[in-house]
Amino acid sequence: MKTDCFDFTYNQSYLDHGYKELHIPPAKEGGWLLEKNALHIWPRKSFMMIALPNMDGSFTCTLFLALRGDVSFEKLDSDTAVTGFFEQYFPDIIPLMPDILQRFNANPTSTLATVKCGPWSCKDKMTLLGDAAHAIVPFYGQGMNCGFEDCSEMSHLIDQHHGDWQTIFEEFTINRKPNSDAIADMAIRNFVEMRDLVADPEFILKNAIDKTIGKLFPEKWTPMYTMVSFTDTGYAEAKRQGEAHDKILDLIVQKEGHGIGEKLSGADIGTMLEKYIK
């Protein structure tokens, strides 16, 4: 941690939540038991379950739950407790998971961690990249992509600096660390949105306004999720713009009231919204 090369700062922080993988099998006649072209979320305020489709018709399900507390993995210490938990919070999933107890007992409960560290390099000798430099929680679906962006940036710097490894490594950290720190923060934020806010009427309203502005004024406004997932905008810039958008969306709801939701498809909605984004 402290060497002749540098003083290395390292932080590994864990969420209070862990996760356990479960399974929905394919339909007996083949195909999927749920809509296959969707991410399925069961939000329960402080915890949630998600399901992602597989090519064979099954779904990989993941339960994200506090490790300790009144509603937590530590309380699910018997078949009776597990069955009661799913009957109370996810009754619709039970018929889709015939082996739920076997899977729950066999699969490990894993933790969720974020790694932030720096500097990433030591003179011209080595550098960290990928998860070794910036492991993040999975709630934005960007962990692997962030690593690929590291590779792209490293390739660009190698071409630019022609074997000057100290410069390559130093610029790599300068260019990439703000972006990796940003997506780490956004991933944790998205966990809160997925488990809690997706069922909140005000969040749903602001999300609808966000998308409407993006469609009406694409040259001025791109929703943060779109920037992160479908453009080459850097994570740090996407985070900066997204936070600025949040303030504007809060202002719109405050000034126009919740009735604006009924006006979003109206012919004059563009005029109403444009004054907020000039």
Side-chain angles (χ1 to χ4, degrees):
M1 302 294 285
K2 183 175 177 65
T3 72
D4 292 338
C5 269
F6 50 69
D7 295 335
F8 183 68
T9 300
Y10 178 83
N11 177 269
Q12 179 174 277
S13 57
Y14 287 89
L15 293 185
D16 295 332
H17 292 67
Y19 70 94
K20 187 183 289 284
E21 287 198 353
L22 300 168
H23 181 76
I24 297 175
K28 290 182 179 179
E29 64 276 11
W32 293 263
L33 293 173
L34 299 172
E35 167 58 48
K36 66 179 183 296
N37 296 313
L39 162 63
H40 297 269
I41 307 176
W42 290 260
R44 298 296 184 266
K45 296 292 185 180
S46 62
F47 60 96
M48 68 176 182
M49 184 156 60
I50 67 172
L52 288 164
N54 299 311
M55 295 297 291
D56 65 355
S58 68
F59 284 83
T60 297
C61 301
T62 310
L63 172 65
F64 297 97
L65 182 66
L67 294 167
R68 288 166 289 277
D70 292 338
V71 182
S72 67
F73 279 117
E74 73 171 353
K75 298 296 185 182
L76 304 184
D77 55 1
S78 68
D79 288 355
T80 300
V82 172
T83 300
F85 171 81
F86 280 93
E87 288 176 344
Q88 180 176 356
Y89 294 108
F90 305 104
D92 59 323
I93 207 73
I94 295 175
L96 305 179
M97 291 184 175
D99 61 350
I100 187 169
L101 281 176
Q102 295 93 318
R103 295 269 182 176
F104 193 94
N105 292 329
N107 293 344
T109 301
S110 302
T111 54
L112 295 156
T114 298
V115 170
K116 292 183 179 180
C117 62
W120 291 350
S121 62
C122 176
K123 298 181 180 178
D124 62 348
K125 305 301 181 185
M126 56 78 65
T127 191
L128 301 174
L129 72 165
D131 280 359
H134 49 69
I136 62 175
V137 294
F139 302 108
Y140 228 116
Q142 289 291 309
M144 184 180 292
N145 188 60
C146 192
F148 285 152
E149 288 190 4
D150 284 355
C151 296
S152 178
E153 178 67 17
M154 180 63 71
S155 178
H156 168 72
L157 291 170
I158 289 171
D159 290 341
Q160 182 177 355
H161 295 294
H162 307 291
D164 182 355
W165 289 103
Q166 183 162 345
T167 298
I168 291 168
F169 291 161
E170 288 176 352
E171 289 193 12
F172 176 72
T173 300
I174 291 170
N175 294 346
R176 289 298 300 153
K177 182 168 171 52
N179 289 300
S180 67
D181 286 349
I183 192 58
D185 295 339
M186 287 190 287
I188 293 174
R189 164 184 161 147
N190 219 41
F191 179 39
V192 176
E193 290 186 1
M194 291 172 69
R195 78 186 193 208
D196 186 356
L197 298 181
V198 292
D200 179 78
E202 184 159 318
F203 176 83
I204 294 171
L205 173 60
K206 288 193 287 188
N207 192 47
I209 298 170
D210 187 23
K211 291 180 179 178
T212 300
I213 297 174
K215 290 179 181 178
L216 292 174
F217 308 102
E219 73 287 351
K220 295 181 179 180
W221 184 289
T222 304
M224 185 170 72
Y225 188 87
T226 301
M227 281 189 282
V228 170
S229 300
F230 304 111
T231 77
D232 60 359
T233 304
Y235 295 127
E237 177 61 17
K239 181 172 182 282
R240 186 194 68 77
Q241 290 190 36
E243 290 171 347
H245 290 175
D246 283 342
K247 294 178 181 178
I248 295 172
L249 295 171
D250 287 339
L251 179 64
I252 292 172
V253 173
Q254 177 187 341
K255 295 291 187 180
E256 305 295 339
H258 286 77
I260 189 176
E262 300 173 0
K263 303 175 183 177
L264 291 180
S265 59
D268 61 343
I269 189 63
T271 302
M272 178 190 295
L273 294 174
E274 187 176 19
K275 63 186 178 182
Y276 293 100
I277 63 172
K278 286 183 179 179

